[in-house]
Structures are given as C-alpha cells and as structure tokens.
Amino acid sequence: MSGKDSSTATPTPRPRQTRSIRTRARLLEAAASVVRADGVTGMTLERVAETAGVSKGGLLYHFGSKRELVLAMVDETLASAGDDLEQLAARDPGPGAFARAYLDYVRSGERSESDEAASVFAAATLEPDGLASAGATFGAWQERLRTDDGVDDTVALLARVVGDGLWLIDLFGLAPPDQAGRAAVCDLVTSMLDSAEQ
Amino acid sequence: MSGKDSSTATPTPRPRQTRSIRTRARLLEAAASVVRADGVTGMTLERVAETAGVSKGGLLYHFGSKRELVLAMVDETLASAGDDLEQLAARDPGPGAFARAYLDYVRSGERSESDEAASVFAAATLEPDGLASAGATFGAWQERLRTDDGVDDTVALLARVVGDGLWLIDLFGLAPPDQAGRAAVCDLVTSMLDSAEQ
DNA sequence: GAAACTGTACCGTCCGGACGGTTTCTTATT
DNA sequence: AATAAGAAACCGTCCGGACGGTACAGTTTC
C-alpha cells in the first residue's frame, strides 16, 4: 500500500501509538498476503499472526475477532483506493476530473495493489455482508461522479462502469486485456468525457 | 423437493434414468443456495447435502471432494451463461452480433441467475485457482468478440469491459446503477458498435 | 504504570473425507 | 419369464484434526 499520508504528518510524533498502528498495518498486510498465497480457507488467525511476526494473542488484541479483521481489510483497502483517487483528481482541474482519475487509476493495470485488493475482496466473501461497506463506497463514488463533474450523466456512468469493470477484471484475473487495449479504451472514454461536457 | 405424486396405479411413474444427473444438478443448485444464505464459510458438505435432500455420502459419490464441487459450480455457471450468450447472438445476424448479445445480457440487470452466479463466484474463492477456468472462459469470449465481429477492436473491447463491469457490479452488489442508467450506457455502446463497423 | 504485546494451555465445535453397508437399476443367462 | 449377477446410486456413521475464540499470567516498551 502506498500514499497513505493524506495530510501533513503530526509535528509531534507519537511513539506510543506508532508501534500499535504499525503492527496493525502489518497484520492487515499479512492477512492479504496469506489469502493470496493460500486462498481464503488458508487464512487462519494463527497463520496471519505468524506471517506478521505477531502472536495470536497479539492479533486478537488488535482485532477482537476474525470478522473484525476481515471488515477492517475491506475498509482499509477501499480507503486507500479512495485516497489515491482523490489525489489523482486533485491535480486535474476542470470538469470531469474525478471521472478521468477513475479511468487513470485503472489504465495501466499495475499489478502490485491489484493483487492485494483481490485478496481482500476474496476475504470479504467470508462474511455474508462483508461487501456491504464496499457497496456503500462504490455508491458514493458514483454519486461523486454524477454530481461533482460537469459531464453528461450517461457518459459519467460509462466511465464508472468501465473503471469498475477493468478493476474487477484485474482483481479476479478474468483474462485482463493487454496494456494497449486498456489504454485505448480508457482514451476513448476520456475523449467522450471531454466532448460531452455541458 | 417432493413433486406431484398423481400416479395411482402405475408403480413406475418416473423414468429413473436421469436420476444421477438430476441429483447432481440438485446438489449444484443447493450448494449455490447455501452459499447465498450462509456465506462461503457456511457451505459445508453436510449442509449442501441436506439442502439437496441427499446424504453426505451421496454427495461425495458425485463429487469426490469439496474442491470438485466448487469447480463444478464454476464450470456449470459459466457454461450456462455461455449458452445464453450464444442463443442471444444467434438470433441477431450481422456484424457485432456477439458484442450486442454481450450487452443485452446485462442490460436489464434483472437476471435471477445473477444471485446464483454471485454465490458461485464467492465459492470459487475457496480454492486458490478456483477462478482459473473462469479466466479462460472470459478470455475465449474476448477473443470471440475481437475476431468474430466486424467491429473496431477498441469498441469491441469497450463492449466487453462494460458488459463484464455491469455483470460484476451486479454480482457483488457494488451499488448497481438504476435501470435507466444501465440501459442508456448499453445503448450508447451499442450505437458505437453499429457506427464503428468496418 | 499503562499500553502493547508474548506464550501457552485449553475448550467446544465442526469439517472433510473414508468406509462399509444398502437399495435400485441394468444386463446376461437360462 | 425368471433370476442371478453386478454395477450404479446412495445411506449413515465415525474419526483425526484444525479452527476460532477464551483466559490469563508474564514481559517489554514508553
């Protein structure tokens, strides 16, 4: 995960909590990596703790139950993606910035984050409503796409569907298109975005 | 699952030939319904068997292991979707038939199969490579889209991404767009398909 | 002195799979 | 037509093992 510090770092460092948060982050990361390596069924509390270099008791100190851990994985991943999105949109003034960011985010199909996100998504299926908050987040993004941007509703929705589609295709390894193809598609939709301003 | 037993005299009212494959299908269906109800973790062999009205031994007669069952679920669902797609494309002669079928398939979003497909997809994550064959199938569809249709490559890919995107968004309940929006998007891409023939 | 852990022991549950037995259908032979 | 033989379909139970979670007494770090 990258680009986590959205705001300026606190002037006074917190040595106390730094350790806790770092362990927490390590646990989250370890959980994703375990899922990626051994599948959802292989993600046991014991193995996650071991991978993170923490005892099982230590894990349960941070996450009271497996469910809590899984839900935190989803929230964390989505929040990180949201930050990246905002950051991308921020340096592109003008209408359709968020939609363009949405497409830029999936244009290259970089592997590193995608793999981890896939694991998280898979883990979310462990809990019946594990994707509930994910649905809410996607809904918020769609709303942002529709209202915050001065583009035609249909084209905005198209951008969202293409962005999500590419992202999910990557996530599950459903025969992702090659670099050239995905770039061409993103460019096509971006050009529609620009010419459909209103 | 007790059907009508209107037979009064004939002791053999039903041909028992298809008993095996019927039980198999029932097991597959039961598995999906269990996942939908209780989540991936709730899908145990015992519960699937019970839901299908079969003993656990009977289940294991048809599927040697849980892995086999899960893989069969994926294959079955994908094959079914592929059939629907072909059927849709068959009654639309002319270039871009498959691409249009791809979009028509997800246009309404009222697919009752969607629920079941979601469960199957979730179950596939139980096995590390549970989605391998799914990836292959999607790749084949993409290739069919690219070669079999007389449309521009980029637009064909766009159709695929939009189709998959809508489908996956529905599958995971990631804030699916409303009827009007999705129809508009599908119409838009379809019109691009028609005007981009070559 | 409190937060942030470690380490171990343990419990109740439940799961996947094996296995031996039982019923139902098909086929061959007489 | 009868029946023996055998395969296919299915039942019911048992077991080793692992998992999630609890409890708690110690230890390090700030």
Side-chain angles (χ1 to χ4, degrees):
Chain A
M1 277 172 210
S2 59
K4 192 67 62 54
D5 41 340
S6 48
S7 58
T8 54
T10 324
T12 53
R14 301 266 184 90
R16 239 329 184 32
Q17 296 201 348
T18 298
R19 178 153 187 115
S20 156
I21 290 176
R22 193 170 281 181
T23 300
R24 199 189 134 96
R26 265 214 330 273
L27 282 165
L28 254 12
E29 199 177 329
S33 105
V34 167
V35 172
R36 193 176 44 188
D38 304 321
V40 176
T41 51
M43 189 189 117
T44 70
L45 295 185
E46 228 150 4
R47 198 171 319 201
V48 170
E50 183 193 349
T51 303
V54 176
S55 71
K56 190 178 169 182
L59 191 163
L60 286 164
Y61 176 80
H62 286 280
F63 306 97
S65 69
K66 188 172 191 178
R67 179 185 168 81
E68 256 183 53
L69 172 62
V70 169
L71 262 37
M73 287 170 76
V74 176
D75 287 346
E76 166 80 8
T77 303
L78 252 34
S80 167
D83 283 352
D84 290 351
L85 232 39
E86 291 295 347
Q87 210 167 337
L88 234 53
R91 54 166 174 263
D92 170 15
F98 194 74
R100 267 191 297 277
Y102 216 76
L103 290 167
D104 282 347
Y105 189 71
V106 296
R107 170 180 262 111
S108 65
E110 71 227 28
R111 256 293 180 264
S112 56
E113 299 207 3
S114 186
D115 263 2
E116 202 164 311
S119 314
V120 169
F121 238 65
T125 63
L126 279 172
E127 303 292 335
D129 57 347
L131 287 174
S133 71
T137 301
F138 276 74
W141 286 344
Q142 171 166 10
E143 202 51 24
R144 179 127 158 56
L145 225 38
R146 200 177 61 79
T147 59
D148 229 34
D149 283 323
V151 294
D152 177 69
D153 278 4
T154 300
V155 180
L157 182 53
L158 176 68
R160 188 228 153 173
V161 173
V162 169
D164 289 356
L166 236 26
W167 193 65
L168 290 166
I169 286 171
D170 289 345
L171 230 55
F172 294 102
L174 264 23
D178 57 19
Q179 217 82 358
R182 59 194 310 146
V185 167
C186 288
D187 287 343
L188 177 58
V189 178
T190 302
S191 75
M192 292 172 71
L193 230 36
D194 293 338
S195 64
E197 288 174 14
Q198 57 181 6
Chain B
M1 288 305 175
S2 63
K4 57 275 293 295
D5 198 0
S6 57
S7 64
T8 51
T10 35
T12 57
R14 234 173 302 274
R16 287 302 200 166
Q17 307 164 324
T18 57
R19 174 160 202 174
S20 159
I21 67 169
R22 191 171 284 184
T23 299
R24 199 187 133 96
R26 258 204 347 260
L27 283 165
L28 253 13
E29 199 178 327
S33 105
V34 167
V35 172
R36 196 175 41 188
D38 304 321
V40 176
T41 51
M43 189 188 112
T44 71
L45 296 186
E46 222 150 9
R47 199 169 313 197
V48 171
E50 183 192 349
T51 303
V54 177
S55 72
K56 193 173 169 183
L59 190 163
L60 285 164
Y61 174 81
H62 287 279
F63 306 97
S65 69
K66 189 172 189 178
R67 179 186 167 79
E68 257 183 53
L69 172 64
V70 169
L71 263 38
M73 286 170 76
V74 176
D75 287 347
E76 167 82 6
T77 302
L78 252 35
S80 167
D83 285 351
D84 290 352
L85 232 40
E86 291 294 348
Q87 209 168 338
L88 233 55
R91 55 164 173 263
D92 171 13
F98 194 73
R100 265 191 297 277
Y102 216 77
L103 290 168
D104 281 347
Y105 190 73
V106 296
R107 171 180 260 112
S108 68
E110 286 292 325
R111 216 124 194 112
S112 60
E113 299 174 12
S114 187
D115 262 0
E116 201 164 312
S119 315
V120 169
F121 237 66
T125 63
L126 279 173
E127 303 292 333
D129 56 347
L131 286 174
S133 70
T137 302
F138 275 74
W141 286 344
Q142 170 165 9
E143 203 51 26
R144 178 128 158 57
L145 225 38
R146 202 177 59 79
T147 59
D148 229 36
D149 283 323
V151 295
D152 178 71
D153 278 6
T154 300
V155 180
L157 182 54
L158 176 68
R160 189 226 153 174
V161 173
V162 169
D164 289 356
L166 236 25
W167 192 65
L168 290 166
I169 286 171
D170 289 345
L171 230 54
F172 294 102
L174 264 23
D178 57 19
Q179 213 84 357
R182 58 195 309 147
V185 167
C186 288
D187 287 343
L188 177 58
V189 178
T190 302
S191 74
M192 294 172 70
L193 229 38
D194 293 338
S195 65
E197 288 175 13
Q198 55 181 9

